[in-house]
C-alpha cells in the first residue's frame, strides 16, 4: 500500500498578510508546476486566521490550507473561537489539532482534541491530530505509553461516522519542536510503527495502512530525506522550516522524489 506523502507547514503565530503573499509568490515559483507536484505529494499549511483568505487565494493548485485549532461546537457563546462551519466558509480543508503548544499553553486535553477530531470529520474537514512525549517522558521510557494514551483518549470521543473519514496523525516529540534536536529516523520510525499498530487495533489492518503518520520536530531541508525514507513516516509537520520558501520548497520536492 503506498500512501501519498503529506508535507504540512505549521506557521504558528507568524506572518502578516503581505508576508504570506510574498511567501507564496516565491514558493510557487520555486516548486514549479504546483498541480503536477501536488498530484504526488500533498502540500498543506496551517496558518493564522488573519491569513486564511490570502493563503486560500495564493497557495496554488492542490495546496490545502488548514487552521491551527478549531472549536467542536458549530456556533455559540465561545469568545475567541472558530467553528468548523467558519473554517469551511473561509475555504479551508482542515485543521491541526492537539499541538503540544496548545496542550501546554492553552490547557487542551485529550478529550477536547477528540471532540475537535469528531467535529472536523463530521464536517468532512481533515483533522491533523498531534501526539508526542516530553523529554522527561522519553527519558523515563514512557514514550509509547504517553502516545497511546493521547491517541486512545482522543479516539474515545470520535463517533463511528467520524471514524470513517480521513484523518492524519502527527507524531511530534515535544523535545524536538523548535529545538533543532530532531528524532533520528530510527527513533521516529519506532514510534510511527507503534502508532500503526494502534491504528490496526482500532481500525483494522487494511484501513490502518491508508492513514498518514507525519513526523514533526525540527524537520528541515537537510534531514527530511532520511526521515521520509522510513516506511511508516508518511510526511512531516514542519514549523520553522515552513516559514522560508527556499527551505520548504526543497522539502516538498524531496518528498516528491
Ligand atoms: P519545528 O515545529 O519544525 O519548528 O520544530 C514543528 C511543529 O511544532 O509543528
Amino acid at each position: 500500500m503506498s500512501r501519498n506523502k503529506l508535507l504540512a507547514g505549521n506557521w504558528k503565530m507568524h506572518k502578516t498578510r503581505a508576508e504570506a503573499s510574498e511567501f507564496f509568490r516565491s514558493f510557487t515559483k520555486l516548486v514549479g508546476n504546483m498541480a503536477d507536484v501536488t498530484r504526488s505529494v500533498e502540500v498543506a499549511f496551517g496558518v493564522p486566521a488573519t491569513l486564511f483568505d490570502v493563503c486560500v487565494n495564493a497557495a496554488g493548485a492542490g495546496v490545502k490550507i488548514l487552521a491551527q485549532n478549531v472549536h467542536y461546537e458549530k456556533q455559540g457563546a465561545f469568545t475567541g473561537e472558530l467553528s468548523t462551519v467558519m473554517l469551511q466558509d473561509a475555504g479551508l480543508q482542515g485543521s491541526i489539532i492537539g499541538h503540544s503548544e496548545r496542550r501546554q499553553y492553552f490547557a487542551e486535553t485529550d478529550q477536547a482534541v477528540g471532540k475537535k477530531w469528531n467535529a472536523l470529520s463530521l464536517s468532512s474537514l481533515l483533522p491533523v491530530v498531534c501526539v508526542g512525549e516530553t523529554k522527561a517522558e522519553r527519558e523515563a521510557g514512557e514514550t509509547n505509553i504517553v502516545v497511546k494514551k493521547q491517541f486512545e483518549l482522543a479516539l474515545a470521543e470520535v463517533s463511528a461516522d467520524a471514524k470513517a473519514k480521513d484523518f492524519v496523525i502527527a507524531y511530534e516529540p515535544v523535545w524536538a519542536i523548535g529545538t533543532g534536536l530532531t528524532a533520528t529516523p530510527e527513533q521516529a520510525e519506532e514510534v510511527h510503527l507503534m502508532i500503526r499498530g494502534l491504528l490496526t487495533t482500532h481500525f483494522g489492518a487494511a484501513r490502518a495502512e491508508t492513514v498518514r503518520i507525519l513526523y514533526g520536530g525540527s524537520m528541515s531541508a537537510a534531514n527530511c530525506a532520511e526521515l521520509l525514507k522510513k516506511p511508516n513516516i508518511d510526511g512531516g509537520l514542519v514549523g520553522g522550516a515552513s516559514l522560508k520558501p527556499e527551505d520548504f520548497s526543497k522539502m516538498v520536492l524531496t518528498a516528491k522524489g
Side-chain angles (χ1 to χ4, degrees), residues 10 12 99-101 172 176-180 216-219 237-241:
N10 176 9
K12 310 192 179 185
H99 191 281
S100 60
E101 287 150 17
E172 298 209 305
I177 295 176
T179 57
S218 301
M219 199 188 233
L237 183 56
V238 183

Side-chain angles (χ1 to χ4, degrees), residues 1 4 20 51 57-58 67-68 76 84 96 106-107 115 118 201 206 219 228 245:
M1 164 80 219
N4 257 6
L51 308 179
N57 291 324
Q68 301 173 2
T84 56
I96 298 167
F106 304 98
K115 286 183 183 176
N118 189 58
T201 304
M219 199 188 233
L228 295 174

Side-chain angles (χ1 to χ4, degrees), residues 2 14 20 45 52 94 100-101 105 112-113 116 127 146 165 173 182 197 223 232 244 246:
S2 80
H14 290 287
F45 292 88
F52 286 170
S100 60
E101 287 150 17
Y105 305 131
V113 175
K116 292 172 186 197
V146 169
K165 303 286 182 73
T182 317
N223 64 28
N232 287 289
K244 302 185 201 105
E246 299 76 22

Side-chain angles (χ1 to χ4, degrees), residues 100 131-135 138 143 170-179 181-183 188 191-192 215-218:
S100 60
V131 293
E133 83 287 2
T134 62
K135 185 164 183 280
R138 174 161 284 263
T143 299
Y171 168 57
E172 298 209 305
V174 178
W175 49 272
I177 295 176
T179 57
L181 291 174
T182 317
V191 181
H192 283 227
Y215 167 77
S218 301

